[in-house]
Amino acid sequence: MRKSGVWMTQLDDRILEHLAGESWASPRTMATAFVGTSSEARIWERCRVLSAAGLIGPMWPGTRMYEITTSGQLYLAGDLDAQDVPAPGPVWVGSPPDPRSLYG
């Protein structure tokens, strides 16, 4: 039985299951495979969260092509409790802001 983290959604499981059956996928290909149930933007958002948690990872830096990690496979098998995975922090869209601009 899988042990989801409180920060996880049902879409996260769908993404992980899809990536477990494919060598890689992009948010666009997953949106097509999920037949209109989730938008490409929402899938990309969840991919970034799952990547920050270490359950999936980009095939190379800066790409929107993802693959499942060993931790993601362990989670799907019920051998990793996602409650033990630290909740991912904020995920920035684009380049992170200049820290000097955050503190005036």
Side-chain angles (χ1 to χ4, degrees), residues 11 27-28 31 38-48 64:
L11 180 57
R28 178 174 292 169
S38 299
S39 70
E40 180 181 345
R42 177 72 174 143
I43 293 168
W44 185 46
E45 174 189 327
R46 296 312 302 170
C47 283
R48 292 179 308 181
R64 289 189 183 190

Side-chain angles (χ1 to χ4, degrees), residues 50-51 54-59 65-69:
L50 291 169
S51 182
L55 299 177
I56 69 173
M59 293 188 69
M65 298 166 58
Y66 293 92
E67 58 190 350
I68 194 165
T69 64

Side-chain angles (χ1 to χ4, degrees), residues 5 7-17 19 30 42-58 66-69 71-72 75 82 85-86 88-89 91:
W7 53 270
M8 294 182 75
T9 68
Q10 286 182 330
L11 180 57
D12 296 344
D13 276 0
R14 291 189 71 196
I15 291 168
L16 288 163
E17 290 165 358
L19 290 173
M30 285 186 268
R42 177 72 174 143
I43 293 168
W44 185 46
E45 174 189 327
R46 296 312 302 170
C47 283
R48 292 179 308 181
V49 171
L50 291 169
S51 182
L55 299 177
I56 69 173
Y66 293 92
E67 58 190 350
I68 194 165
T69 64
S71 294
Y75 166 76
V85 175
V91 177

